[in-house]
């Protein structure tokens, strides 16, 4: 009996030849999606030593394995490539509807290779169930993301979704992101695959947008429809009754707890606590809903978490979505910009121009710390984006290239990065296990690679905690589930088994995550990474925060190396939820 995945395909786009071909998906990869599939394709197709912004780099768009199904909150999509920021493999993950839509019409990935001879041209990719074509898109050149997607989708069906880059991607700035449209009727490009400069790689391919239309296509059907439906219902009910409270108001609600733990970085991480943290607390955003409008909503079709906030301005008009903890930290506290409304403006600018809010906030903080701008200068920060960066000035480009670029240009010595990528909000000095993740992961400083919020763990226990959460997070990023849904390995197995109509063991699911990490480490090894690259910036080892400035990252190289060698599993491994 034929199954839904029997006809699955991969779209291959050659930007040098300006051609498209569609090939069958390998049946032996049927359990793979998202990050794990991206890593496998990168190892197979990409020269790890290539120029990240040259024709030999490969850009992968891979929905999760369960994207397009009726499993709750399962439609995320991974963008993978060799990062122009880190020089290693990178996966950035986004919500919105494109991942759902690609899978509904049977496309497990879009793989983009090559580079046009005329780098001034722009191209778009139209993806329909029975037709995929590369089309001229010069009229979209330079458009900001919201205008680009509005123009594009106004000519398509009401069910279409889009992936796009803004001017930062077209300028190949190393902090550039890729935007995905959300599930609201306005289909806003507010969901960003942000980290690692994936938008710069899309810009280097001269690919401005991808449009996906899955009109009237139903969700992907499991083999055991009754079993899949029963487990989906039971899981959803359990989640809403026991776990949902943790994410009811989104990540912005974490601000007070992070500040208490000395991991709400202030003034380029010279302190771990912000004395004015209440002004950036997500509670202020929620208080605005009553007078201005705005609400919590789901960013993708089928989401039951609804952790994304919609933020309105003082006049009650839509401003941005979602204003997350990481953005409030890096564009706010780290720059001493202590007004959530200013951060909302900066967030919208980043989404429009197509920039990672973490990398951009860290870059502005380094610029301020080096004397380039006064701390807390919100209008100056906005001008860096809407004037300097958009106009392509040297200063604007250095900010757009990220924290390391602006810090190096200014000769500054406090540049908090790992593998060239700026630190997220969660600081590795009080959170040692998280620091091990940043140092050992092929991704560099990325909290979604494996976050452990426990300041008591250190030594070998921190190594095990980091490794286990790295495996669990890699699985989550491969399935299409959102981390805030929190499916464990055992729960993921219970979705896979009825969907594929065969017993999928917990060990098989765990192996997806571990093999993904091995593939990513292998890519970086071939790219020329060494043990010396598995470390933190000196400022994070030498400069302390917290009481008496005692919190420093003091995990040695031998312990970091252990995270890349399989460790004995703890009793709780299979029941751990992802965290990022």
């Amino acid at each position: 009996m034929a199954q839904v995945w029997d006809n699955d395909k991969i779209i291959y786009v050659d930007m040098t030849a300006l051609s498209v071909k569609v090939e069958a998906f390998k049946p032996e990869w049927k359990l793979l999606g998202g990050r794990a599939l991206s890593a496998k394709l990168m190892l197979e197709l990409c020269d790890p030593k290539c120029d990240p912004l040259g024709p030999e780099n490969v850009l992968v768009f891979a929905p999760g394995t369960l994207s397009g199904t009726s499993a709750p909150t399962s439609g995320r999509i991974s963008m993978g490539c060799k990062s122009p920021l880190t020089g290693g493999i990178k996966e950035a993950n986004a919500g919105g509807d494109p991942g759902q839509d690609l899978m509904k019409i049977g496309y497990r990935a879009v793989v983009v290779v090559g580079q046009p001879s005329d780098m001034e041209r722009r191209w778009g990719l139209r993806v329909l169930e029975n037709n995929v074509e590369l089309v001229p898109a010069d009229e979209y050149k330079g458009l900001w993301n919201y205008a680009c997607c509005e123009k594009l989708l106004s000519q398509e069906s009401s069910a279409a979704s889009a992936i796009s880059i803004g001017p930062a991607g077209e300028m190949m700035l190393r902090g550039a992101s890729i935007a995905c449209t959300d599930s609201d009727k306005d289909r806003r490009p507010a969901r960003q695959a942000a980290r690692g400069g994936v938008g710069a790689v899309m810009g280097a391919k001269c690919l401005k947008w991808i449009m996906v239309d899955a009109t009237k296509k139903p969700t992907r059907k499991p083999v055991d429809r009754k079993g899949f439906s029963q487990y989906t219902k039971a899981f959803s009910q359990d989640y809403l009754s026991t776990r949902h409270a943790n994410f009811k108001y989104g990540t912005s609600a974490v601000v007070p707890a992070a500040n208490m733990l000395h991991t709400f970085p202030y003034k380029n991480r010279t302190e771990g606590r912000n004395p004015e943290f209440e002004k950036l607390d997500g509670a202020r955003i929620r208080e605005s809903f009553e007078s201005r409008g705005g609400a919590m909503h789901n960013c993708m079709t089928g989401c039951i978490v609804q952790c994304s906030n919609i933020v309105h301005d003082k006049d009650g008009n839509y401003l941005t979505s979602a204003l997350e903890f990481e953005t409030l930290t890096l564009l706010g506290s780290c720059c001493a910009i202590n007004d959530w409304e200013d951060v909302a403006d900066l967030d919208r600018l980043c989404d429009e121009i197509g920039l990672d809010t973490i990398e951009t906030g860290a870059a502005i903080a380094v610029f301020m710390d080096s004397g380039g701008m006064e701390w807390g200068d919100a209008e100056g920060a906005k001008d860096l984006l809407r004037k300097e960066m958009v106009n392509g000035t040297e200063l604007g480009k250095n900010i757009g290239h990220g924290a390391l670029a602006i810090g190096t240009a200014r000769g500054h010595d406090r540049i908090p990065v790992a593998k060239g990528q700026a630190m997220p909000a969660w600081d590795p000095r009080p959170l040692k296990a998280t620091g091990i993740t940043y140092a050992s992961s092929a991704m560099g400083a990325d909290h979604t690679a494996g976050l452990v919020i426990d300041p008591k763990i250190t030594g070998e226990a921190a190594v095990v905690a980091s490794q286990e959460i790295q495996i669990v997070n890699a699985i989550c990023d491969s399935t299409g589930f959102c981390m805030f849904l929190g499916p464990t390995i055992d729960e993921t197995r219970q979705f896979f088994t009825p969907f594929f109509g065969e017993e999928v063991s917990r060990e098989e699911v765990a192996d997806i995550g571990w093999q993904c990490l091995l593939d990513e480490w292998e890519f970086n090894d071939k790219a020329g990474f060494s043990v010396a690259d598995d470390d933190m910036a000196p400022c994070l080892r030498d400069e302390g925060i917290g009481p008496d400035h005692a919190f420093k990252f003091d995990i040695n190289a031998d312990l970091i190396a252990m995270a890349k060698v399989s460790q004995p599993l703890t009793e709780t491994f299979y029941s751990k939820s992802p965290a990022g």
Side-chain angles (χ1 to χ4, degrees), residues 15 71 89 206 231 298 378 380 394 434 451 502:
M15 295 304 299
I89 196 168
C206 298
Y231 188 69
N298 54 299
E394 182 179 3
T434 295
L451 176 63
E502 60 189 51

Side-chain angles (χ1 to χ4, degrees), residues 31 65-66 69-74 222-224 227-236 239 243 304 479 481 485-502 504 509:
L31 295 182
T65 311
L66 291 174
T69 73
S70 60
T73 319
S74 61
V223 175
D224 179 359
F228 191 79
S229 177
Q230 286 177 338
Y231 188 69
T232 294
K233 182 178 180 180
F235 178 93
S236 299
Y239 175 83
R243 309 185 209 179
I304 63 172
T479 59
F481 283 126
L485 189 73
T488 67
I489 291 174
D490 278 337
E491 289 168 335
T492 299
R493 181 189 72 79
Q494 291 183 82
F495 280 105
F496 273 19
T497 292
F499 184 78
F500 291 105
E502 60 189 51
V504 179
V509 176

